[in-house]
Amino acid sequence: MIFKGVFDLEPIKNDSVRYTRLKMASALGGIAVFLIYFIFSLQYKIPMYLSDETAYMTKAAAIAGYPTDMASSWYAGYPLLLAPLFWIFSDPFVIWKGVMFLNALMFGASFAILFYLMVYIFPDKSIKQILTAVAVSALYPAFISMSGYSFATPGFILCFMPAPVAQQYNDAGGL
């Protein structure tokens, strides 16, 4: 019941021009974040070999069927997302670029969802105001740098962002 009545879609959907612009702004904003984060992460030529990066990459390789003699206490959720990179590519440098691509893609999708949430939480705000708020959030340095590491943060954020939408959908009797 937290978001009861907050996500009223009808007034926005009734204004088809604004609704179309909002969907376009959300998509373009997500693409812009993806591109900026991915281009920024290209400066990282190889993993940093931090314990979690090593564990995630090794676990992903193991899931993909590569033999490995490393055991770790890190969970397999993020490595499950990375495993297809090991199935598709054999070059470690290409796999590493794939990790950065996937991270940037997840961040882009997360900020597109944030834009969506902002539209429905603040329906009276202009597209420009909402884009500004989302852009300021996207400029958080830790998020930008995280796209260049093999950390689970982008996946966690992407899984967390739809929670308020699901809650509202549930409150409306959808789940």
Side-chain angles (χ1 to χ4, degrees):
M1 295 296 187
I2 296 171
F3 295 101
K4 192 74 172 172
V6 172
F7 297 106
D8 187 8
L9 304 176
E10 291 311 311
I12 294 172
K13 283 187 173 181
N14 289 337
D15 183 356
S16 63
V17 172
R18 182 167 191 254
Y19 187 64
T20 301
R21 286 181 181 161
L22 290 171
K23 288 192 302 186
M24 289 294 295
S26 176
L28 292 174
I31 291 168
V33 168
F34 160 72
L35 290 172
I36 291 167
Y37 278 35
F38 184 63
I39 290 168
F40 179 84
S41 69
L42 289 175
Q43 69 180 314
Y44 301 113
K45 302 299 181 200
I46 58 172
M48 295 296 292
Y49 296 105
L50 303 170
S51 67
D52 42 0
E53 276 195 306
T54 304
Y56 288 140
M57 297 294 283
T58 304
K59 195 165 285 211
I63 291 168
Y66 287 82
T68 164
D69 60 356
M70 290 184 65
S72 77
S73 62
W74 295 93
Y75 295 104
Y78 182 63
L80 282 171
L81 296 174
L82 302 181
L85 297 170
F86 286 87
W87 290 326
I88 297 168
F89 306 110
S90 60
D91 182 352
F93 292 105
V94 175
I95 292 170
W96 180 242
K97 297 294 184 208
V99 168
M100 292 186 297
F101 179 89
L102 182 63
N103 286 347
L105 188 65
M106 288 189 287
F107 271 122
S110 297
F111 282 105
I113 294 169
L114 176 61
F115 181 88
Y116 171 87
L117 290 172
M118 297 287 289
V119 165
Y120 293 108
I121 292 172
F122 304 106
D124 297 333
K125 301 296 180 186
S126 70
I127 293 174
K128 184 178 179 181
Q129 290 171 311
I130 293 171
L131 275 175
T132 301
V134 172
V136 167
S137 299
L139 291 175
Y140 181 54
F143 288 160
I144 296 171
S145 66
M146 283 287 171
S147 66
Y149 289 88
S150 177
F151 288 157
T153 305
F156 172 77
I157 293 170
L158 181 60
C159 290
F160 178 78
M161 289 302 296
V165 177
Q167 177 65 44
Q168 190 279 332
Y169 186 70
N170 184 47
D171 288 348
L175 295 177

